[in-house]
């Protein structure tokens, strides 16, 4: 494996750890342990760091090391602008491809993710709810069948999870998102993809306002 390919794989692994909430804002990335997790050399890992720095997910502090980024209000607003374009655009693109079958495995997976989030919320497993929230958003982008849209969503959702991790009460926000996700998915299952996109657009505007207010 070339250094470039290995770096891309490392970047993906670290990005997934951020999206899953396993790495938080301001956390230092230890080269030795991450190189072992990725199964690569430190030089290859540094290529992964370079990719992530370009995406704004990590920052290099001279003489100190590499740290997970801690987004500010401007970054959060930018991320939500991009999320509305990518996520709502993916649903509208899928709407133009023809009817959706409620028995489609991808649609069934969406329903299962929402049901799991509802159950986790009922018993207060908010970390799990946060993970499932990310998975739901990724899944409905994947419905469009576009590798580029799916890849863009991965990076944006990692940034979104970092924003949530900066808040004093992320659990309260996740509890609101469970119902919003269920509403969007309900329209997807009904084959109302354009309506789902419109509902999602309003939802993401509200979510942006909640996150920014909580950061304030």
């Amino acid at each position: 494996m070339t250094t470039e390919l290995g770096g891309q794989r490392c970047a993906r692994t670290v990005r997934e750890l951020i999206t899953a909430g396993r790495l938080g804002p301001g956390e230092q990335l230890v080269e030795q342990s991450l190189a072992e997790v990725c199964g690569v050399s430190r030089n290859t890992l540094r290529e992964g760091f370079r990719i992530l720095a370009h995406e704004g997910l990590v920052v290099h502090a001279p003489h100190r090391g590499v740290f997970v980024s801690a987004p500010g209000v401007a970054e959060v607003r930018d991320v939500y602008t991009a999320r509305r374009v990518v996520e709502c655009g993916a649903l509208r693109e899928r709407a133009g491809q023809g009817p959706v079958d409620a028995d489609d495995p991808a649609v069934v997976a969406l329903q299962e993710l929402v049901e799991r989030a509802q159950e986790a919320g009922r018993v207060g497993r908010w970390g799990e709810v946060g993970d499932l929230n990310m998975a739901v958003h990724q899944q409905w982008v994947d419905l469009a069948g576009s590798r580029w849209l799916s890849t863009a969503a991965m990076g944006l959702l990692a940034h979104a999870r970092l924003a949530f991790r900066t808040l004093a009460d992320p659990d309260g926000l996740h509890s609101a998102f469970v119902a919003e996700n269920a509403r969007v998915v309900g329209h997807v299952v009904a084959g109302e993809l354009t309506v789902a996109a419109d509902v999602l657009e309003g939802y993401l505007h509200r979510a942006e306002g909640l996150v920014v207010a909580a950061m304030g």
Side-chain angles (χ1 to χ4, degrees), residues 117-210:
Q118 291 170 329
E119 176 60 29
R122 280 192 287 269
V123 295
R125 296 198 302 268
W126 296 113
E128 183 179 345
V129 171
D131 292 346
L132 291 165
N133 177 53
M134 298 292 101
V136 167
H137 284 262
Q138 184 68 55
Q139 183 71 18
W140 60 45
V141 172
D142 292 346
L143 287 175
S146 166
R147 177 170 65 92
W148 296 108
L149 283 173
S150 293
T151 299
M154 289 176 193
L156 290 169
L157 291 172
H159 279 283
R161 193 63 183 268
L162 285 180
F164 298 152
R165 290 288 300 277
T166 67
L167 307 180
D169 181 28
D171 296 351
L173 287 176
H174 285 316
S175 64
F177 297 159
V178 172
E180 295 276 16
N181 287 345
R183 185 180 172 205
V184 175
V185 171
H187 287 296
V188 172
V189 173
E192 302 165 346
L193 289 161
T194 301
V195 176
D198 292 341
V199 170
L200 175 58
E201 188 167 4
Y203 157 22
L204 290 175
H205 274 294
R206 291 191 295 276
E208 177 184 345
L210 288 170

Side-chain angles (χ1 to χ4, degrees), residues 9-213:
R9 190 180 73 178
C10 290
R12 183 184 181 96
T13 298
V14 174
R15 194 183 300 113
E16 289 172 347
L17 290 171
I18 291 172
T19 304
R22 308 299 182 262
L23 294 172
E27 188 170 339
Q28 185 169 12
L29 301 179
V30 180
E31 285 192 1
Q32 181 175 346
S33 60
L34 277 176
E36 291 174 357
V37 168
C38 296
V40 297
S41 68
R42 289 194 179 189
N43 282 339
T44 299
L45 179 65
R46 287 167 189 154
E47 172 63 17
F49 286 164
R50 185 193 65 76
I51 294 169
L52 293 167
H54 180 71
E55 296 176 0
L57 287 170
V58 305
V59 293
H60 292 265
H63 312 299
R64 293 181 59 209
V66 179
F67 296 80
V68 179
S69 297
V73 169
E75 290 85 355
V76 169
R77 290 197 181 280
D78 194 16
V79 165
Y80 271 92
T81 296
R83 287 186 66 187
R84 284 189 289 273
V85 172
V86 170
E87 296 187 37
C88 301
L91 287 174
R92 290 177 179 130
E93 170 63 26
R94 180 61 187 83
Q97 296 174 10
V100 171
D101 186 347
D103 294 327
D104 185 307
V107 175
V108 172
L110 260 179
Q111 292 177 282
E112 291 175 347
L113 287 168
V114 166
E115 290 168 1
R116 288 170 56 195
Q118 291 170 329
E119 176 60 29
R122 280 192 287 269
V123 295
R125 296 198 302 268
W126 296 113
E128 183 179 345
V129 171
D131 292 346
L132 291 165
N133 177 53
M134 298 292 101
V136 167
H137 284 262
Q138 184 68 55
Q139 183 71 18
W140 60 45
V141 172
D142 292 346
L143 287 175
S146 166
R147 177 170 65 92
W148 296 108
L149 283 173
S150 293
T151 299
M154 289 176 193
L156 290 169
L157 291 172
H159 279 283
R161 193 63 183 268
L162 285 180
F164 298 152
R165 290 288 300 277
T166 67
L167 307 180
D169 181 28
D171 296 351
L173 287 176
H174 285 316
S175 64
F177 297 159
V178 172
E180 295 276 16
N181 287 345
R183 185 180 172 205
V184 175
V185 171
H187 287 296
V188 172
V189 173
E192 302 165 346
L193 289 161
T194 301
V195 176
D198 292 341
V199 170
L200 175 58
E201 188 167 4
Y203 157 22
L204 290 175
H205 274 294
R206 291 191 295 276
E208 177 184 345
L210 288 170
V211 173
V212 169

